[in-house]
Amino acid sequence: GPRRVEPGTTARQLADSLPRPMSCPGVELVHGTNVLDMGADVSALSDGAHLTARFQPPQPFDHSFVKEVLAYDGVMDEEIVLTSTRLKPTVVKVPGAEVLGVEFIRTNGDVQELLLQLRVPEGSKLLTEDVVQFEGLCIENGEYRRA
């Protein structure tokens, strides 16, 4: 709100005293349509002068160091996928079917259990057989109930 400033107070001193949003690199003080120089004496402005604080947008954070950390030996020996994580349908290929949805259920030993939503043509063995084997893939038909 409105307040008086001490004689000799600079725009920088006033700007530094303002609370600012997290990660905000700085603030500019605007009088009318003019941005004040940080060395300007704000106490020299007329009584009742209206100043506006214009907060600078946060700088983008550089996350590139994460790739370096993950490249260290032993860091990414395992990948962790949380239960019920939805995956892109392109991560699974099912011969003779269009994969519409994939949800990670759990890891059971060396086997990853996924819930698949498939579009298959009429007469497909995926509709008529309880267990269908493909190279690197076993599909079991059944009901899945969430815990």
Side-chain angles (χ1 to χ4, degrees), residues 95 120-134 141:
V120 296
E122 282 187 49
S124 169
K125 65 182 178 178
L126 290 167
L127 294 173
T128 59
E129 298 178 23
D130 289 336
V131 178
V132 180
Q133 292 278 81
F134 296 104
N141 287 321

Side-chain angles (χ1 to χ4, degrees), residues 134-138:
F134 296 104
E135 186 177 330
L137 178 67
C138 176

Side-chain angles (χ1 to χ4, degrees), residues 84-94 97-105 113-120 139 146:
S84 300
T85 298
R86 294 192 180 274
L87 305 172
K88 290 182 179 181
T90 55
V91 300
V92 176
K93 302 281 186 230
V94 179
E98 178 185 358
V99 180
L100 303 174
V102 179
E103 184 177 331
F104 178 80
I105 303 303
E113 295 182 16
L114 306 173
L115 179 62
L116 302 177
Q117 182 182 9
L118 304 174
R119 179 179 291 139
V120 296
I139 296 182
R146 296 185 191 285

Side-chain angles (χ1 to χ4, degrees), residues 3-5 31 41-51:
R3 68 176 186 166
R4 291 197 180 275
V5 293
H31 181 244
D41 183 353
V42 293
S43 64
L45 296 172
S46 63
D47 281 349
H50 182 79
L51 296 177

Side-chain angles (χ1 to χ4, degrees), residues 18-90:
L18 298 173
R20 55 176 96 152
M22 192 172 179
S23 302
C24 174
V27 60
E28 297 174 323
L29 296 179
V30 181
H31 181 244
T33 58
N34 299 319
V35 175
L36 295 179
D37 180 84
M38 287 309 219
D41 183 353
V42 293
S43 64
L45 296 172
S46 63
D47 281 349
H50 182 79
L51 296 177
T52 302
R54 183 167 59 193
F55 296 100
Q56 297 172 350
Q59 298 297 312
F61 187 77
D62 180 11
H63 290 88
S64 62
F65 73 93
V66 174
K67 289 181 183 178
E68 289 180 36
V69 171
L70 295 178
Y72 294 145
D73 287 340
V75 172
M76 285 300 291
D77 288 344
E78 292 185 26
E79 291 183 23
I80 298 173
V81 180
L82 299 177
T83 300
S84 300
T85 298
R86 294 192 180 274
L87 305 172
K88 290 182 179 181
T90 55

